[in-house]
Amino acid sequence: MKVPQLFVATGASKWADPERFPWTMGWQPDYHTEAMIYAKYVMTEKPNAKIGILYQNDDFGKDYLKGLQDGLGDKAKTMLVKEVTYEVGDPTVDSQIVTLQGAGVDVLVTIATPKFAAQAIRKVHDIAWKPMHLITNVASSIGGTLAPAGLDKSVGLITALYQKVTTDPRWENDQGYKDGSSG
C-alpha cells in the first residue's frame, strides 16, 4: 500500500534494503555493521584471538554472525574456532558456554537477547572463565541483562552501546542530558 514504515525498532539488515523494502527504514544501527565493528576491535586488540560465538539460531543471530565473518575477512578461517547456537525455547545456554570454554576460546562473542545473555554472563563467571567477552547492544541493558546476570559478574564486558544511559551519573553534566536528550 506504499505506507512508509519509519524507524522500525530493529537492527535487522534486511530492512536496509531499499530495493526490496523501499517504504521501510530502520531506526538503530544494523546488526551486521555492529558485528563488523566487533571484528575490527578484536583484530586490533587481540590479533591472534581464538573466537567463540554463541548465537541465537535465527535471522537475528545469523545477521551478527555474517557481520563477524565479513569483518574478519580472510582471518575468519583461523580466528573463528567454535560457533554454537541456542534456540529461543532452550531453558539455558550453560552447556553452550562450557563447550566454548572447552574449545580453547579466549574471545567470546555473545549474540543473544537479554535472558540468554544474562545466563551466558553468569555461567562464564561461575566457571571462572576469563575470555574477552563481547555482547551485542541488544543485550547491553543494565536492568534487562547485567543486573539479572549480576553486576559483579558483568565487569569487563565490551559492547557497542550507542545511547547514553540516563541513569548513569557520568552524564549528569552532559549538555544533551541536561536538555533531555539521551542520544
Side-chain angles (χ1 to χ4, degrees):
M1 296 179 61
K2 299 183 179 181
V3 175
Q5 298 178 80
L6 301 177
F7 311 120
V8 176
T10 179
S13 60
K14 72 181 182 180
W15 300 116
D17 182 356
E19 302 261 332
R20 290 182 53 218
F21 303 105
W23 297 95
T24 304
M25 182 175 88
W27 170 75
Q28 65 197 59
D30 70 76
Y31 303 143
H32 183 271
T33 301
E34 181 185 344
M36 289 182 72
I37 292 167
Y38 297 141
K40 183 177 180 179
Y41 179 81
V42 171
M43 287 192 305
T44 300
E45 297 298 316
K46 201 167 179 109
N48 297 313
K50 296 176 190 165
I51 303 171
I53 303 170
L54 168 66
Y55 70 97
Q56 187 168 296
N57 190 22
D58 61 9
D59 287 347
F60 162 73
K62 291 173 185 174
D63 219 0
Y64 274 105
L65 178 63
K66 176 94 168 77
L68 281 168
Q69 292 166 335
D70 290 349
L72 293 170
D74 292 340
K75 291 196 163 229
K77 292 178 182 125
T78 56
M79 293 180 84
L80 293 176
V81 298
K82 190 73 174 170
E83 300 166 12
V84 296
T85 64
Y86 73 90
E87 302 294 332
V88 294
D90 288 351
T92 73
V93 293
D94 288 357
S95 64
Q96 290 92 327
I97 294 299
V98 171
T99 296
L100 289 164
Q101 180 193 34
V105 166
D106 59 10
V107 174
L108 172 61
V109 181
T110 299
I111 302 168
T113 53
K115 170 188 169 182
F116 294 103
Q119 290 176 358
I121 293 163
R122 188 177 314 119
K123 186 65 175 178
V124 165
H125 180 273
D126 290 350
I127 61 175
W129 186 25
K130 304 280 186 212
M132 175 190 284
H133 193 174
L134 294 95
I135 62 169
T136 65
N137 79 73
V138 170
S140 63
S141 165
I142 293 169
T145 305
L146 307 184
L151 293 178
D152 59 318
K153 296 169 178 65
S154 302
V155 173
L157 293 172
I158 300 166
T159 191
L161 182 63
Y162 54 88
Q163 296 176 312
K164 296 173 186 170
V165 177
T166 57
T167 56
D168 187 331
R170 81 171 119 178
W171 300 115
E172 62 190 37
N173 292 316
D174 179 81
Q175 193 59 47
Y177 179 86
K178 288 178 181 179
D179 294 342
S181 170
S182 65

